[in-house]
Amino acid sequence: MEKIVDYISINKVCWNTRTDHHIESEFYQLDAFIKGASSLNPIELDLLGDIKGKKILHLQCHFGMDTLSLARLGAEVVGVDLSDKAIDKAKELTNQLNLDARFICCDLYELPQHLNETFDIVFTSYGTIGWLPDLNKWAAVVSKMLKPNGRFIMADFHPYVWMYDNDFKKIQYSYFNVETIIETESGTYADKEAPIETQSIGWNHPISEILNSLVSNGVTIQKFNEYDYSPYNVFPGMEEFSKGQFKFTQFDRKLPLIYAIDGTKL
Ligand SMILES: C[S@@+](CC[C@H](N)C(=O)[O-])C[C@H]1O[C@@H](n2cnc3c(N)ncnc32)[C@H](O)[C@@H]1O
């Protein structure tokens, strides 16, 4: 692979810029969340099960809506994210809603330097590992943060989806992790008309790389699920076929859109 550019600085600017617009966006429905709605989806809720009293670490938590939704279900939560703007907002929401949650702003790979404890569950979802170049390092952090027999729960977009160009008209990128993907985008997935232009650096990770990185770091896979719908309307050409389930019309609903993992640390 080619030399990795300073992706941390570039992605931090990208996520800080996006965060301001995400907070205001219809996509994130912050008002409904403040009034009590959960931002979690059935896919991850089904895998998480009863989390009352569980200690949960939420990796790449953005501005904390999912983390705080876990707290509302009775979990003791810690959220981690690279974006200081996102973490500031997460802390503000925690105070505003009088919830109990801790948030840490750092690069995921550096988390062990900021957090010296272990968790019943490590959770991460929707738009996560594509920002990380090395999944072996990611899985080592997941494993280090889990108690023995702790669970790793993840739901994310299927790597097949990341092969497409931004218009979802043609295959642009390899399914395999063969290149650093540098993109400049106008607007954001949560507000296509937002008056911002951001550069971002990412990587495609095939399913084999995801599962092998976890297994080789001591996380046994209990369940691996694939879904033909997304709970989010984020890509061009999607339609809501049933409530909360979006599919591509142009691909005749035949694509995998989401995968989910339920793993246990040995
Ligand atoms: C798509 S969002 C997370 C998804 C979450 N489901 C949401 O929409 O609220 C991706 C998050 O990853 C964070 N991120 C990107 N690179 C990171 C890194 N190296 N370490 C920690 N967080 C990172 C970004 O700041 C952003 O908040």
Side-chain angles (χ1 to χ4, degrees), residues 129-130 135 157-165 170-179 181 202-212 224 226 255-259:
I129 51 173
L135 286 198
F157 294 101
H158 201 286
Y160 186 88
V161 167
W162 301 124
M163 295 169 68
Y164 282 89
D165 65 329
K170 63 174 172 52
I171 300 281
Q172 183 164 353
Y173 301 108
S174 173
Y175 175 76
F176 297 97
N177 186 1
V178 293
E179 60 186 330
I181 297 171
W203 293 268
N204 281 355
H205 298 290
I207 293 292
S208 54
E209 192 189 348
I210 300 165
L211 297 182
N212 287 333
F224 177 76
E226 290 171 293
L255 295 192
L257 278 162
I258 300 290
Y259 67 91

Side-chain angles (χ1 to χ4, degrees), residues 7-8 11 15 27-28 58 60-63 66 80-83 86 106-109 125-128 131-132 189 232:
Y7 72 96
I8 291 288
N11 287 344
W15 283 102
F27 179 91
Y28 275 97
H58 182 195
Q60 296 180 251
C61 65
H62 203 26
F63 60 95
D66 286 358
V80 178
D81 201 275
L82 179 66
S83 159
C106 72
D107 171 24
L108 185 142
Y109 292 156
S125 70
Y126 306 108
T128 57
W131 305 107
L132 308 172
Y189 59 87
Y232 300 106

Side-chain angles (χ1 to χ4, degrees), residues 70-240:
L70 296 168
R72 280 173 169 163
L73 292 172
E76 182 193 331
V77 293
V78 177
V80 178
D81 201 275
L82 179 66
S83 159
D84 48 298
K85 283 220 174 178
I87 289 296
D88 286 350
K89 186 67 188 178
K91 287 180 176 168
E92 183 191 309
L93 286 169
T94 306
N95 291 336
Q96 181 182 345
L97 299 173
N98 204 17
L99 290 166
D100 197 6
R102 285 179 285 156
F103 288 95
I104 298 171
C105 183
C106 72
D107 171 24
L108 185 142
Y109 292 156
E110 294 186 350
L111 183 59
Q113 295 161 37
H114 298 263
L115 189 63
N116 184 22
E117 46 191 292
T118 51
F119 293 81
D120 298 306
I121 298 173
V122 173
F123 171 68
T124 198
S125 70
Y126 306 108
T128 57
I129 51 173
W131 305 107
L132 308 172
D134 183 339
L135 286 198
N136 189 51
K137 277 171 85 173
W138 163 77
V141 173
V142 168
S143 182
K144 190 175 173 50
M145 292 294 154
L146 281 171
K147 292 180 184 172
N149 294 316
R151 291 173 74 209
F152 173 62
I153 305 287
M154 170 174 194
D156 211 330
F157 294 101
H158 201 286
Y160 186 88
V161 167
W162 301 124
M163 295 169 68
Y164 282 89
D165 65 329
N166 280 342
D167 299 328
F168 280 80
K169 294 222 163 95
K170 63 174 172 52
I171 300 281
Q172 183 164 353
Y173 301 108
S174 173
Y175 175 76
F176 297 97
N177 186 1
V178 293
E179 60 186 330
T180 299
I181 297 171
I182 304 177
E183 288 182 307
T184 302
E185 194 186 338
S186 299
T188 112
Y189 59 87
D191 178 2
K192 307 260 181 314
E193 307 305 322
I196 51 170
E197 192 174 80
T198 50
Q199 195 185 37
S200 65
I201 317 265
W203 293 268
N204 281 355
H205 298 290
I207 293 292
S208 54
E209 192 189 348
I210 300 165
L211 297 182
N212 287 333
S213 67
L214 289 165
V215 170
S216 57
N217 281 281
V219 179
T220 302
I221 309 302
Q222 306 291 354
K223 272 188 209 156
F224 177 76
N225 300 332
E226 290 171 293
Y227 303 83
D228 67 353
Y229 64 88
S230 158
Y232 300 106
N233 183 10
V234 271
F235 302 120
M238 292 190 123
E239 264 182 34
E240 191 168 26

